[in-house]
Structure formats: C-alpha cells, structure tokens
Amino acid sequence: VQLQASGGGLVQAGGSLRLSCAASGSIFSINDMGWYRRAPGKQRELVARITNGGNTDYADSVKGRFTISRDSAKNTVYLQMNSLKPEDTAVYYCTAEVRAYQSWSYRDYWGQGTLVTVSS
C-alpha cells in the first residue's frame, strides 16, 4: 500500500491551495483518512481527518479555513486550504487507516509529505 501526496507549493498569505493524496496497492478497505503537518521547529500535529462515513474533525487553528473531503471510489483524500497564513507553512503528510487484502487488521500508512510555504 502506498500513499502519494501532491498539491503543495508556494502561495501568498490569503491564497488557497488544494492537497490531494491517493492510496494505491492491495487495498481491501480504508477507515479514517487525514492530514498532519510539521512546521519548522515544531512537533507534528493533526490538521484534519475524515471517517469513512464522512465525519470530520479539524484542528482549532484551521477551522473555517480548511476543508477535508474524500472520494472513496478513488481512495483519495483532499485538503482544501483557504485564507492561508504564514503560520500554515509546514510539510503536510497524509495518512490512511488501511486494511490490505493480505491482512485481517487495519494499520496506518503515511504519504511522503508535501511542502506548503505561505509568504507574508
């Protein structure tokens, strides 16, 4: 199972970006999917997550600005980021709780990270 993230880049404050993360491989089913980020000099933090039923959860710092969604048919999770601030600068990692065909249990998989830089 692999997760491939894309969509990062450089944007001015107040701008928008959309991150995508596609899971591929021997996937039987996926539970939660989500996005974390690690800013320079800080610990990794949860940004947003979405269940397979569509329930969402957000960090307080991004509520009202970021929207997480998923396309279960494509095993893909998205993060629409609006009104970006310099403090949103970080490497963003996607994650998915996946049960592979060869397994009876779920485990977490991580994408490679995509850099988002917001200039002031």
Side-chain angles (χ1 to χ4, degrees):
V1 176
Q2 294 183 329
L3 271 62
Q4 181 67 44
S6 61
L10 173 64
V11 64
Q12 288 188 331
S16 298
L17 281 175
R18 187 190 194 212
L19 305 183
S20 300
C21 177
S24 62
S26 184
I27 298 171
F28 180 77
S29 66
I30 302 177
N31 279 343
D32 294 359
M33 303 184 81
W35 291 92
Y36 284 73
R37 66 186 180 187
R38 186 191 300 271
K42 295 187 177 181
Q43 291 186 332
R44 185 179 65 190
E45 64 173 352
L46 172 69
V47 177
R49 60 188 169 198
I50 184 168
T51 68
N52 57 7
N55 294 318
T56 58
D57 187 27
Y58 296 91
D60 288 342
S61 59
V62 307
K63 284 181 180 177
R65 300 188 298 122
F66 291 10
T67 302
I68 189 170
S69 61
R70 66 191 283 176
D71 184 335
S72 294
K74 297 181 179 179
N75 292 332
T76 300
V77 62
Y78 305 96
L79 186 68
Q80 178 67 43
M81 304 185 294
N82 299 329
S83 302
L84 282 161
K85 304 176 180 179
E87 51 263 43
D88 294 317
T89 295
V91 178
Y92 285 70
Y93 299 91
C94 59
T95 183
E97 188 180 17
V98 178
R99 178 184 168 188
Y101 275 106
Q102 307 91 327
S103 175
W104 289 102
S105 61
Y106 289 85
R107 58 156 284 191
D108 291 332
Y109 290 85
W110 291 84
Q112 82 283 9
T114 184
L115 177 62
V116 172
T117 303
V118 184
S119 63
S120 57

